[in-house]
Amino acid sequence: MPAENREQWLQQMVGLLRPYFENQVEKKLPEKVHVSCGFPSRKALVRKAVFVGQCFPTRMSGAGYNEVFISPLKANELEVAAILVHELIHAVDDCVNQHKRPFIEMAKRAGLVRPWTCSVPGDALQGVLNEMIEKLGAYPHSEINRNAFDDLKKQGTRLIKVVCPEADCGVVCRMTKKYIETGRIPTCACGTKMEAA
């Protein structure tokens, strides 16, 4: 039965990967693993570096889970599955070894290839993941276009400065453009009609 949402698909993929990890990596996946689609790091949008996945250790989870996030910038099933494999390797050692030798050894057994900070599946792992994807069906997600964030302009202030024209008064306030255009500019306490600056 096809997954109803991204998280269900990702959790089902974890279920399919459990025996693979035991047989191929010779490690058991932790029982407490949550996987979600979400930005793994705020740097994913701020910087041009690609952050496609992140695993948080159990000590950072209120429920004691390894919390795994797969970036919504990714929608290709094979890419997403390979990222998940990479992050699950981090979950196996509760993020202790980062990308050091123990991680590299597990990554090699899992079928990932260099660079170790990425999630590149070798030919054998691609075949295994494609079989799993065939069982699960399409990943129910459309990627978010990161370039669209560059097009968003910073919103300026909506309020316009309104001042008293009397030189010795100095009263200043701010108003919306709508009120200024409809002639609702107030009169200053000195009795002079205020003006948009």
Side-chain angles (χ1 to χ4, degrees):
M1 182 172 151
E4 293 178 16
N5 56 53
R6 303 175 290 207
E7 282 69 24
Q8 189 179 48
W9 191 95
L10 291 165
Q11 287 297 153
Q12 288 174 357
M13 181 60 80
V14 171
L16 293 176
L17 285 167
R18 284 185 184 282
Y20 179 78
F21 264 73
E22 286 185 35
N23 296 330
Q24 194 68 30
V25 185
E26 298 174 0
K27 298 285 182 180
K28 194 172 183 176
L29 286 179
E31 287 302 314
K32 292 185 168 187
V33 176
H34 278 162
V35 186
S36 296
C37 178
F39 286 112
S41 167
R42 70 178 188 87
K43 295 177 186 177
L45 289 176
V46 179
R47 292 175 48 191
K48 291 299 178 188
V50 180
F51 292 82
V52 294
Q54 191 166 13
C55 178
F56 289 93
T58 55
R59 72 179 181 278
M60 294 178 74
S61 168
Y65 278 74
N66 284 110
E67 305 284 353
V68 175
F69 292 92
I70 306 297
S71 173
L73 301 176
K74 299 295 179 184
N76 176 279
E77 288 88 354
L78 183 58
E79 275 187 279
V80 168
I83 293 165
L84 183 57
V85 168
H86 178 114
E87 299 310 327
L88 289 174
I89 294 168
H90 286 303
V92 166
D93 72 357
D94 204 23
C95 307
V96 170
N97 291 297
Q98 299 171 8
H99 297 110
K100 295 176 185 163
R101 183 176 298 276
F103 172 89
I104 293 169
E105 292 306 316
M106 285 189 283
K108 285 178 182 176
R109 289 197 299 271
L112 294 173
V113 296
R114 286 182 168 191
W116 304 118
T117 54
C118 295
S119 304
V120 182
D123 293 340
L125 179 57
Q126 282 185 41
V128 169
L129 293 177
N130 280 327
E131 285 177 20
M132 292 178 182
I133 290 164
E134 198 171 307
K135 288 179 185 175
L136 292 180
Y139 180 48
H141 171 70
S142 298
E143 70 185 35
I144 291 177
N145 179 2
R146 180 169 60 177
N147 295 329
F149 288 96
D150 297 336
D151 298 337
L152 295 176
K153 293 183 179 175
K154 185 179 177 185
Q155 180 180 338
T157 180
R158 294 180 182 196
L159 299 177
I160 297 169
K161 188 176 181 180
V162 177
V163 298
C164 178
E166 289 295 320
D168 58 342
C169 187
V171 172
V172 176
C173 68
R174 297 195 179 271
M175 299 180 68
T176 64
K177 186 178 179 181
K178 176 183 173 183
Y179 278 93
I180 293 169
E181 288 174 348
T182 57
R184 296 183 188 171
I185 298 177
T187 301
C188 180
C190 71
T192 309
K193 182 83 169 171
M194 297 180 78
E195 299 172 351

